[in-house]
Amino acid sequence: MSSADHLAAPSGAAFTELPPDSTRRNLLIASCAAGGVAGIAAITPLVGSFEPSEKAKAAGAPVTADISGMAVGELRTFEWRGKPVWVVRRSKEMVDELKKNDAGLADPESKRNPSEFTPMPQTRNEYRSLKPEYFVAVGVCTHLGCSPSTRFTPGPQASLPDDWPGGFLCPCHGSTFDLAGRVFKNKPAPDNLPIPPYTFVSDTKIIIGEETKA
Ligand code: FES
């Protein structure tokens, strides 16, 4: 049934004949005055019902990630807005090797749709992070949403090229990403892994979901 159907007179029923104009105007003023309070009362619960619940607010709230004691090459996963967010501790060698991947990447400088995939300007750099040592990304493949697995060890191995530099492999359709979450060319995934807003509050704590102020 369309919304217009709700407004139509029921089949076979006639609309009530309206009183003359002056009477209609008086009736309208009277009903507005009487209806004012009731109208507010009727509207208030509606407005209330559009406010997010405490649970919904909590689901979208920033989360604190404890990265104390992380070993080089370790990945920790934190849940933010129902998504897995990775923190990877990279070695200096891992970071230094990133530049060599550029020619084989679909979007090496993260220029595509930065508001969605690299929202913080401070992470639009060659290592896609606030601190080169820590890579923070949403661990969801930009093809169809599988979670890529870690393939940090460089070199030949199953399902990867012989010159594999280390990074992530999506098990669903074979998209590959380097250690800055940048997707390699000619893969099903169209974009780099998203970088969430985050900020360091200390050397061992990150708040995911809160932008670093410029
Ligand atoms: S979901 Fe990752 S390659 Fe298809």
Side-chain angles (χ1 to χ4, degrees):
M1 185 186 286
S2 74
S3 56
D5 292 328
H6 290 290
L7 301 175
S11 162
F15 285 110
T16 309
E17 199 179 326
L18 292 172
D21 272 357
S22 58
T23 316
R24 257 169 36 205
R25 214 170 21 247
N26 292 341
L27 279 173
L28 185 63
I29 292 165
S31 66
C32 282
V37 175
I40 290 167
I43 288 167
T44 304
L46 259 182
V47 171
S49 72
F50 284 119
E51 282 184 3
S53 66
E54 288 308 311
K55 200 172 161 192
K57 280 188 211 162
V63 297
T64 301
D66 181 358
I67 57 165
S68 54
M70 278 187 82
V72 168
E74 184 181 342
L75 178 150
R76 285 187 190 168
T77 304
F78 303 89
E79 187 182 340
W80 172 67
R81 295 190 172 176
K83 296 176 201 161
V85 173
W86 298 332
V87 180
V88 179
R89 185 171 172 201
R90 297 179 291 202
S91 65
K92 184 172 182 317
E93 293 70 37
M94 286 170 159
V95 174
D96 289 346
E97 290 294 305
L98 288 173
K99 197 80 196 139
K100 296 182 185 163
N101 301 335
D102 286 10
L105 300 168
D107 181 18
E109 293 176 24
S110 298
K111 287 193 170 161
R112 286 188 200 158
N113 210 344
S115 60
E116 183 177 352
F117 295 104
T118 325
M120 287 196 304
Q122 303 95 319
T123 57
R124 292 177 201 152
N125 50 45
E126 64 198 64
Y127 35 85
R128 300 186 80 219
S129 58
L130 294 175
K131 294 184 181 183
E133 188 178 6
Y134 291 101
F135 174 55
V136 181
V138 176
V140 176
C141 179
T142 54
H143 181 219
L144 293 176
C146 292
S147 191
S149 41
T150 57
R151 291 288 189 278
F152 290 170
T153 307
Q157 53 202 287
S159 309
L160 291 168
D162 287 352
D163 59 352
W164 177 243
F168 305 89
L169 168 68
C170 183
C172 292
H173 313 98
S175 289
T176 46
F177 304 85
D178 76 353
L179 279 163
R182 300 176 298 174
V183 68
F184 283 90
K185 281 179 184 166
N186 306 318
K187 299 292 177 181
D191 290 296
N192 297 336
L193 296 179
I195 306 297
Y198 67 95
T199 189
F200 278 87
V201 285
S202 72
D203 285 346
T204 57
K205 284 206 171 35
I206 297 173
I207 297 186
I208 298 165
E210 193 171 292
E211 276 204 29
T212 299
K213 303 285 178 280

